[in-house]
């Protein structure tokens, strides 16, 4: 996000909760795209691909870009083949991601607790 006033322009980084929500949304879009591609629902896969790549296009020679190209052709066999190649490039099928807010909060709290116990005197 950025907000500009006259000659001053400030950019702020997303908060932790915004970053987590962005990651969740990308995972959801990816899962939707893959499920649609594997079931030959080209239109739904195209929509999910567009959402997934809206802010940044994938590298031209990547498996994700290959899936995008196959989606543009509308050839269901090519889409399914590209989806399999993408899944293999990512290390095969992954278990579904569950809502891990509690786990993420516990991990963040544990990390904060462990880092707050160690202090470094930067003035010495």
């Amino acid at each position: 996000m950025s907000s500009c006033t006259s000659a001053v322009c400030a950019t702020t980084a997303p908060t932790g909760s915004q970053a987590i929500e962005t990651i969740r949304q990308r995972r959801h879009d990816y899962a939707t795209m893959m499920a649609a591609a594997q079931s030959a629902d080209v239109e739904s896969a195209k929509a999910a691909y567009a959402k997934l790549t809206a802010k940044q296009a994938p590298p031209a020679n990547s498996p994700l870009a290959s899936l995008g190209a196959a989606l543009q052709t509308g050839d269901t066999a090519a889409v399914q083949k590209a989806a399999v190649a993408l899944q293999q490039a990512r290390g095969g099928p992954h278990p579904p991601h569950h809502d891990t807010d509690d786990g993420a909060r516990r991990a963040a709290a544990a990390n904060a607790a462990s880092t707050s116990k160690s202090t470094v005197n930067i003035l010495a």
Side-chain angles (χ1 to χ4, degrees):
M1 283 184 199
S2 67
S3 59
C4 295
T5 58
S6 63
V8 178
C9 187
T11 302
T12 57
T15 64
S17 62
Q18 289 170 328
I20 290 170
E21 184 56 34
T22 298
I23 291 168
R24 254 195 217 121
Q25 185 61 50
R26 288 186 58 78
R27 285 180 178 165
H28 173 75
D29 293 340
Y30 176 82
T32 300
M33 177 190 68
M34 293 300 287
Q38 291 167 346
S39 66
D41 182 354
V42 174
E43 291 308 311
S44 294
K46 275 185 187 180
Y49 178 85
K51 287 174 74 175
L52 186 65
T53 59
K55 291 189 179 188
Q56 182 176 1
N61 60 349
S62 70
L64 182 57
S66 296
L67 177 56
L71 287 167
Q72 291 305 312
T73 69
D75 179 351
T76 56
V79 168
Q80 289 174 326
K81 183 178 178 182
V84 168
L86 175 57
Q87 193 170 35
Q88 289 173 343
R90 291 179 50 96
H94 295 284
H97 294 280
H98 299 287
D99 190 359
T100 58
D101 264 353
D102 291 336
R105 275 191 225 115
R106 282 192 297 273
N111 185 35
S114 69
T115 57
S116 66
K117 291 178 184 175
S118 60
T119 58
V120 175
N121 184 352
I122 61 170
L123 301 175

